[in-house]
Amino acid sequence: MGKQRSGTPTLEEVAALAGVGRGTVSRVINNADGVKDSTRRAVERAITELGYVPNQAARSLAARRADAVALAMTETDWRQFGEPFFSEIVCAVSDALAGTDIQLLLTLVRTDAERRRFVEYARGGRIDGVLLMSVRGGEPLPDMLAELRLPTVLLGRRSGDECASYVDSDNVGGARDAVDHLLRSGRTHVATITGPLDMYVAQCRLRGYEEAMRRAGHAHGPTWIVEGDFSEESGRRAMTELLGRHPEVDAVFAASDTMAAGALNVLRAAGRRVPEDVAVIGFDDFLLAQHTDPQLTTVRQPVEEIGRAMVRLLLEALEDSSRAWRHVILPTRLIRRDSA
């Protein structure tokens, strides 16, 4: 007479019924790659027939984590990787993980093919979670990772109703504070250079500009708004365009320090004194802001705190996968220097 099966099905019993090894059952349960479709179906049939609940396998998996998380950047423009924001965030996240045993993997995910490869890599259990940065509106990767139930934290958000955990700065408030400062100092012809407007962060900084201008009764038309892409070259291009349209401009709020630096170069070449003729404010407060001529008044993002908060949310999600989305918005601060 065969051995009687216990009341609670085991992983070994599923393996025996499916005619495969215990390791194959674990890979099917955890959606790992390297399993033939026919084998996967046989294991799934055995799980259903036995009524197996894979909580023991889940505990075993938790004990065998990959001890690695990915910092994935979805920016498609190679030039952006030379901007200070990327290196600052990488350093902040790396520092926040320094006290753990978790390895940080840096990867670029820019095309549909790269998305598919990354999702398959994640499906294979090679990483425990993902930190995502430079996410534009319509980016599908957060939703693809959610389908895998892989803990994911975004830097910023795709929209105002983001359905994933994220850490962000108060971009609207920071921009509003910058423009309020310009207006209180007596400037009346205030223009702005935005970031790429398919990114929610750029939309928020534009909204802060518009709110401050409207509240002060100085709202201008769309010709006072020029879109950049956060690069220094786009700041130069936008400032040239603004001077051509509105030679009377007496202040500029640029949505990043690098674009503000480009604007300063154009103003100097045009013989405009900063801040006497045109005041300039940036956003970020990277080291660059202290090395422009004149030194840049800017809105400080708490980059180190952003990195720590992203890592904290991800570690919490790794400990409790049922935890609801978490949204953290950190305050900004206007740093006054010589340019405004």
Side-chain angles (χ1 to χ4, degrees), residues 75 80 83-84 136 193-196 199 201-202 205 228-235 255-259 284:
E75 177 58 58
Q80 297 302 316
E83 301 301 325
R136 296 175 184 257
I193 302 171
T194 76
M199 296 185 73
V201 57
R205 293 177 191 177
D229 60 15
F230 290 137
S231 70
E232 186 170 345
E233 173 55 35
S234 74
S256 77
D257 288 349
T258 48
M259 292 194 300
D284 289 323

Side-chain angles (χ1 to χ4, degrees), residues 52-269:
Y52 176 71
V53 179
N55 54 352
Q56 289 180 320
R59 285 197 294 270
S60 176
L61 177 66
R64 296 196 305 271
R65 282 182 180 163
D67 287 331
V69 298
L71 176 58
M73 294 186 285
T74 59
E75 177 58 58
T76 57
D77 187 345
W78 277 100
R79 295 173 301 171
Q80 297 302 316
F81 296 106
E83 301 301 325
F85 184 71
F86 287 94
S87 58
E88 294 265 358
I89 288 296
V90 171
C91 289
V93 168
S94 180
D95 289 345
L97 285 169
T100 73
D101 294 325
I102 296 175
Q103 179 72 31
L104 180 64
L105 307 177
L106 184 62
T107 186
L108 310 181
V109 185
R110 300 155 300 170
T111 65
D112 287 339
E114 289 176 346
R115 287 186 193 95
R116 288 192 296 270
R117 284 199 298 270
F118 181 69
V119 168
E120 286 307 308
Y121 183 84
R123 194 193 305 274
R126 298 179 178 92
I127 52 177
D128 300 317
V130 180
L131 302 168
L132 273 179
M133 63 183 296
S134 194
V135 180
R136 296 175 184 257
E139 171 59 54
L141 187 56
D143 302 321
M144 296 167 74
L145 296 172
E147 290 179 7
L148 295 182
R149 299 185 182 276
L150 189 69
T152 302
V153 178
L154 278 60
L155 171 53
R157 26 185 173 155
R158 293 169 292 179
S159 69
D161 56 355
E162 179 60 72
C163 54
S165 291
Y166 66 77
V167 179
D168 205 355
S169 294
D170 180 9
N171 292 294
V172 175
R176 191 170 53 234
D177 289 346
V179 179
D180 280 343
H181 175 70
L182 292 170
L183 294 169
R184 283 195 303 268
S185 67
R187 311 290 171 155
T188 57
H189 298 91
V190 183
T192 187
I193 302 171
T194 76
L197 291 174
D198 61 346
M199 296 185 73
Y200 189 65
V201 57
Q203 297 169 27
C204 288
R205 293 177 191 177
L206 174 58
R207 189 187 316 153
Y209 162 83
E210 291 175 331
E211 287 180 4
M213 295 293 287
R214 193 163 48 244
R215 189 168 59 187
H218 291 293
H220 294 323
T223 59
W224 292 82
I225 300 168
V226 179
E227 184 176 357
D229 60 15
F230 290 137
S231 70
E232 186 170 345
E233 173 55 35
S234 74
R236 286 193 289 267
R237 186 171 60 248
M239 192 69 246
T240 300
E241 188 172 334
L242 285 169
L243 286 175
R245 292 178 183 174
H246 300 289
E248 71 275 25
V249 62
D250 62 7
V252 176
F253 165 60
S256 77
D257 288 349
T258 48
M259 292 194 300
L264 288 175
N265 290 338
V266 169
L267 289 168
R268 184 181 306 110

Side-chain angles (χ1 to χ4, degrees), residues 10-32:
T10 66
L11 192 71
E12 288 79 7
E13 290 170 358
V14 173
L17 182 59
V20 299
R22 175 191 171 102
T24 300
V25 175
S26 292
R27 286 197 293 276
V28 171
I29 289 170
N30 298 311
N31 290 319

Side-chain angles (χ1 to χ4, degrees), residues 279-300:
V280 177
I281 295 183
F283 202 114
D284 289 323
D285 195 30
F286 296 139
L287 189 61
L288 167 69
Q290 300 178 44
H291 294 287
T292 57
D293 182 20
Q295 288 191 336
L296 189 63
T297 295
T298 187
V299 178
R300 176 176 292 170

